[in-house]
Amino acid sequence: VFMEVIRGNGRRQEDIRGIDISMNPIRYADGSATFKIGNTSVVAYVQGPHEVLMRKKAATEKGILNVKFFMTNFSTPEHKTNIKKNIKMNEFGNLLKS
């Protein structure tokens, strides 16, 4: 006997969540995108290149990439901002830079 499994959100086992991708939703950015799957959203944007303000860091063969990674406090099990979460976000930002 085959039993159809219905998830709590009404989807059947073989159904996928809705997917939406938008390009350049942020007007002030040089490039941006949003990616949504179900109730989860990711927003990414790029600004630059910019002139180097410190001469010591200026090099014609290299660039500097600044990464900032943020999660809303309701998107994690802790549901609050704490030092452990900030360390995780910094580590993820560093991973993106490498």
Side-chain angles (χ1 to χ4, degrees):
V1 176
F2 175 75
M3 290 181 51
E4 186 173 53
V5 176
I6 303 294
R7 299 175 187 192
N9 61 7
R11 290 184 296 126
R12 294 179 308 201
Q13 192 69 27
E14 65 273 8
D15 291 344
I16 63 170
R17 292 180 172 99
I19 297 173
D20 181 45
I21 300 171
S22 301
M23 301 299 291
N24 297 315
I26 302 173
R27 291 186 202 164
Y28 63 84
D30 293 314
S32 62
T34 59
F35 178 81
K36 297 178 184 178
I37 183 165
N39 293 329
T40 303
S41 298
V42 175
V43 178
Y45 70 94
V46 176
Q47 292 179 306
H50 300 287
E51 292 293 322
V52 177
L53 299 177
M54 296 175 61
R55 285 204 174 262
K56 286 193 274 185
K57 293 187 177 184
T60 57
E61 69 280 353
K62 293 183 180 180
I64 299 169
L65 177 64
N66 294 318
V67 176
K68 293 183 181 176
F69 172 77
F70 302 98
M71 289 189 318
T72 56
N73 62 353
F74 59 84
S75 66
T76 63
E78 292 98 16
H79 294 286
K80 59 185 175 182
T81 302
N82 61 33
I83 193 70
K84 185 176 178 184
K85 180 178 158 189
N86 290 334
I87 290 170
K88 286 181 185 178
M89 286 192 282
N90 289 336
E91 287 175 354
F92 190 75
N94 289 334
L95 178 66
L96 290 173
K97 288 170 71 169
S98 61

